[in-house]
Amino acid sequence: MWTFNPMARHACISKTIGILALPGVQMLDVAGPLDVFAEANVQSGRQVYLSSVVATAEGPIVSSSGLRVLPDMIFDLGAPVAFDTLLIAGAPHLGDGPVDPALLDWLRQSAPRNRRFGSVCSGALVLAATGLLDGRRVTTHWAVAEQLARQFPEVRVEVDALHVRDGPLRTAAGVTAGLDLALALVEEDLGREIAKKVASQLVMFFKRPGGQLQFSRRGEANPVGRSTLQEIQRWVISNPAMDASLAALATRAGLSPRHFARLFRQEIGSTPSVWVETVRVAAARAMLEAGERPKQAAAACGFGDIDTFRRAFQRQVGITPAEYRRRYETVGAA
């Protein structure tokens, strides 16, 4: 293994950035933050940031899209590094198996040496495996947030957040949220005006409205559990406007309400009422995306009134139904 001293190239560089990219890395988790830091150099008129891509083996890193990246350095267990900021990029497969113990040891040694450290997207799964996230507030991509919370119960997962700051730790929800995190780091380092100029040049929100749940597909999972419960789930999904109270669902399943509720929670991991609300909001989202107005979506998806719908929608998605609908309006539509 060979190593690279991130401070050697330019002694005048004040902020060194290390991004750990594992095989199969999501390219935007790497390229997005790198472009933000590069643009910050342009907007500040000096090379504030020097970025390095860190790999686990020699040779090109093959990303999930097939694009290959040449790393600047290879991690060496005997040589922990001290960047200003170290980030672990996400990859679609990171939750599928154990992480190399040698890499985890390197991270345990290296992360505390950095002024800031953190992750983008599913990179939080790797960082959590080191134990460095225990007791801390973090976020990750909505699709792996439940897995992160389940595997690492000591980690406090904020599902809706785009990025989270907790002491020296910085975590981002994933993919484009990596740009949001990088921009927040630029604001920390160089101030609001430089960060706003970077956002303007990259045609991105300076502060993106809402959280990441507005992009999630929660409530669209296939029915699970024993066949009786799957039949109930399919019926609710197909008939979101019908009576889906605990009593009605228990009667349809041929069980007492108490037994049905206990069985449902045991096998689905949620109460029937919470699950039904999630399914109804998912159905309403599809209608809003297709151009339906909130009142029509509320009625068609089993919500008793528009206020109940609005509260449920904001609880599940993080923004109002009207705001969500506007995101999907056809350009040039009346």
Side-chain angles (χ1 to χ4, degrees), residues 225-307:
R226 63 184 65 188
S227 58
T228 299
L229 294 182
Q230 288 193 32
E231 289 177 11
I232 295 296
Q233 292 170 75
R234 279 191 284 269
W235 180 83
V236 173
I237 291 170
S238 300
N239 303 277
M242 300 293 286
D243 182 7
S245 63
L246 175 60
L249 296 182
T251 298
R252 181 170 287 275
L255 301 171
S256 70
R258 184 175 181 180
H259 185 197
F260 176 78
R262 183 170 62 249
L263 187 64
F264 195 96
R265 188 178 186 90
Q266 177 183 319
E267 298 205 12
I268 312 303
S270 168
T271 65
S273 61
V274 168
W275 184 86
V276 168
E277 180 182 283
T278 301
V279 169
R280 284 174 166 170
V281 167
R285 286 175 64 167
M287 294 185 68
L288 294 171
E289 290 168 12
E292 290 289 347
R293 296 189 178 278
K295 284 187 178 181
Q296 284 70 42
C301 295
F303 292 97
D305 56 72
I306 189 64
D307 289 333

Side-chain angles (χ1 to χ4, degrees), residues 19 178-179:
I19 298 185
L179 283 85

Side-chain angles (χ1 to χ4, degrees), residues 105-218:
D105 286 341
W106 181 82
L107 285 171
R108 291 187 190 101
Q109 294 178 51
S110 296
R113 294 169 177 256
N114 298 274
R115 182 169 68 92
R116 299 178 297 212
F117 67 94
S119 60
V120 178
C121 197
S122 57
L125 290 167
V126 176
L127 202 51
T130 67
L132 294 170
L133 303 190
D134 288 357
R136 293 194 175 277
R137 295 166 42 249
V138 308
T139 192
T140 187
H141 193 287
W142 61 266
V144 297
E146 185 176 322
Q147 178 184 355
L148 177 63
R150 184 176 63 253
Q151 286 186 216
F152 306 99
E154 298 301 316
V155 178
R156 297 157 57 192
V157 182
E158 298 192 3
V159 180
D160 191 36
L162 288 172
H163 55 87
V164 170
R165 172 180 179 174
D166 187 341
L169 179 66
R170 307 289 188 274
T171 51
V175 198
T176 59
L179 283 85
D180 296 297
L181 172 61
L183 189 64
L185 297 181
V186 169
E187 185 180 11
E188 285 182 31
D189 298 337
L190 304 178
R192 186 180 183 89
E193 289 308 310
I194 292 293
K196 287 172 69 175
K197 289 179 180 179
V198 171
S200 177
Q201 188 64 31
L202 296 182
V203 195
M204 61 180 288
F205 283 110
F206 175 59
K207 301 290 183 183
R208 198 182 336 186
Q212 67 163 323
L213 291 185
Q214 61 189 295
F215 306 105
S216 78
R217 296 286 100 182
R218 296 197 312 170

Side-chain angles (χ1 to χ4, degrees), residues 10-54:
H10 295 283
C12 62
I13 300 299
S14 59
K15 309 291 181 188
T16 53
I17 307 293
I19 298 185
L20 175 63
L22 302 176
V25 68
Q26 183 104 32
M27 195 63 228
L28 195 54
D29 287 356
V30 177
L34 289 180
D35 274 342
V36 171
F37 294 126
E39 187 59 36
N41 286 339
V42 173
Q43 296 301 327
S44 62
R46 59 192 177 94
Q47 193 167 19
V48 178
Y49 296 104
L50 174 64
S51 299
S52 301
V53 175
V54 185

